[in-house]
Amino acid sequence: MTLLAVEDLSKRYRLPREHLLAAAPEVQALQEVSFTLAAGRSLGIVGESGSGKSTLARLVMALESPSSGRVLLGGTDLHTLTRAELRRVRARLQMVFQDPYGSLDPRRTVLQAVAEPLAVLHGAGRAEQRERAAEVLDAVGLRASDLGKYPHEFSGGQRQRIAIARALVTRPELIVADEPVSALDVSVQAQVLNLMQDLQERYGVTYLFISHDLAVVDLVCDEVIVLQQGRVVERGNPRTLFRRPQHPYTQRLLAAVPGG
């Protein structure tokens, strides 16, 4: 069953005018990107910096509006919803960011950070917030006794586990993971990736996995899309595509990998 459908998605940004009478120049960040993602599966989006990966993530999360095209979650076009309707849908899709240090407020306890989506999106009471927060914290390998601690008391890998717990607490169908392990030590990356795979099996969550690291996508994703300057240039099973790339851009990406 298709959970996420992206149809002819394009995004243009206006740049500052060079002088008062000149027309504002535009940059095309995404150009007619289309794909589908089945429930319970993982799709990787790869490409070099500036290829449009993070723009795509923001559009899928409805944090920005597209210039044209549609993003459908379970058949619902996210960008036609009112603010109130989108707020209700938010519980179904969550995001894990790149920086586990910057994504957590140092002044808020783990309980406050993890339970916030429940309070904002579900109006859950304090007892339910604590119960659900303890549940997801246990699921990511931490303890209920950690709920009263602050982010500075944890390592980078543990902070990213907390960020994943926060994304899971509303029991979303889709998680957009934007470079979720790139800020972590190599020794910790595998632990977090294994955790995400375990959580997918346990909760049936679907991942849209944004990464510049081809090895990471090869490990965790069922399918991969290669973006170049906002366009899809190649797609397929990563085990096949990364070993026999057809497009010259994909070939260059692989050639740039150390030991590739």
Side-chain angles (χ1 to χ4, degrees):
M1 180 184 72
T2 297
L3 174 64
L4 177 68
V6 170
E7 300 179 351
D8 297 323
L9 200 62
S10 297
K11 179 64 177 179
R12 296 183 298 276
Y13 292 102
R14 287 188 178 276
L15 302 177
R17 289 184 175 91
E18 294 184 2
H19 54 82
L20 183 62
L21 299 180
E26 292 185 336
V27 59
Q28 188 86 32
L30 282 182
Q31 303 182 58
E32 299 179 345
V33 171
S34 297
F35 61 83
T36 59
L37 176 55
R41 306 286 282 178
S42 298
L43 173 65
I45 309 292
V46 302
E48 61 191 347
S49 178
S51 61
K53 304 188 302 299
S54 292
T55 298
L56 176 59
R58 291 192 297 271
L59 295 177
V60 168
M61 289 296 300
L63 299 176
E64 295 185 13
S65 298
S67 301
S68 60
R70 303 197 299 170
V71 177
L72 296 98
L73 182 70
T76 299
D77 187 348
L78 299 180
H79 294 283
T80 63
L81 300 178
T82 65
R83 182 174 298 182
E85 290 170 336
L86 184 58
R87 186 186 183 91
R88 290 193 290 270
V89 171
R90 284 277 181 216
R92 299 174 58 193
L93 69 163
Q94 291 291 306
M95 193 165 186
V96 175
F97 297 93
Q98 175 179 0
D99 183 6
Y101 296 92
S103 63
L104 296 173
D105 188 335
R107 298 165 297 181
R108 296 170 69 83
T109 65
V110 171
L111 173 60
Q112 291 171 319
V114 172
E116 182 179 24
L118 287 176
V120 172
L121 301 175
H122 287 306
R126 290 186 179 180
E128 182 183 355
Q129 290 178 36
R130 175 172 284 275
E131 180 182 353
R132 292 272 291 274
E135 174 191 330
V136 294
L137 216 61
D138 176 73
V140 301
L142 297 173
R143 300 183 300 268
S145 58
D146 292 322
L147 288 172
K149 297 179 180 178
Y150 289 85
H152 74 268
E153 300 179 66
F154 298 90
S155 67
Q158 289 172 324
R159 292 188 198 195
Q160 197 63 306
R161 288 172 184 264
I162 294 168
I164 293 169
R166 180 176 57 188
L168 278 174
V169 77
T170 63
R171 296 170 185 164
E173 298 167 67
L174 174 68
I175 290 180
V176 177
D178 190 0
E179 301 277 9
V181 297
S182 64
L184 304 177
D185 293 339
V186 173
S187 60
V188 179
Q189 289 183 6
Q191 298 173 20
V192 173
L193 292 173
N194 288 335
L195 169 66
M196 295 182 72
Q197 290 177 298
D198 291 343
L199 293 171
Q200 185 173 44
E201 293 181 10
R202 178 172 176 177
Y203 292 101
V205 68
T206 304
Y207 289 129
L208 183 65
F209 209 99
I210 311 292
S211 182
H212 70 280
D213 191 327
L214 306 186
V216 166
V217 170
D218 194 10
L219 177 66
V220 302
C221 294
D222 303 298
E223 189 177 8
V224 60
I225 285 176
V226 182
L227 282 182
Q228 180 189 24
Q229 296 180 348
R231 289 186 179 275
V232 176
V233 296
E234 196 163 2
R235 69 181 70 192
N237 182 297
R239 263 63 77 187
T240 301
L241 189 148
F242 290 157
R243 287 152 185 78
R244 293 189 296 275
Q246 302 300 308
H247 196 277
Y249 177 72
T250 311
Q251 294 170 1
R252 291 198 300 272
L253 286 179
L254 288 162
V257 176

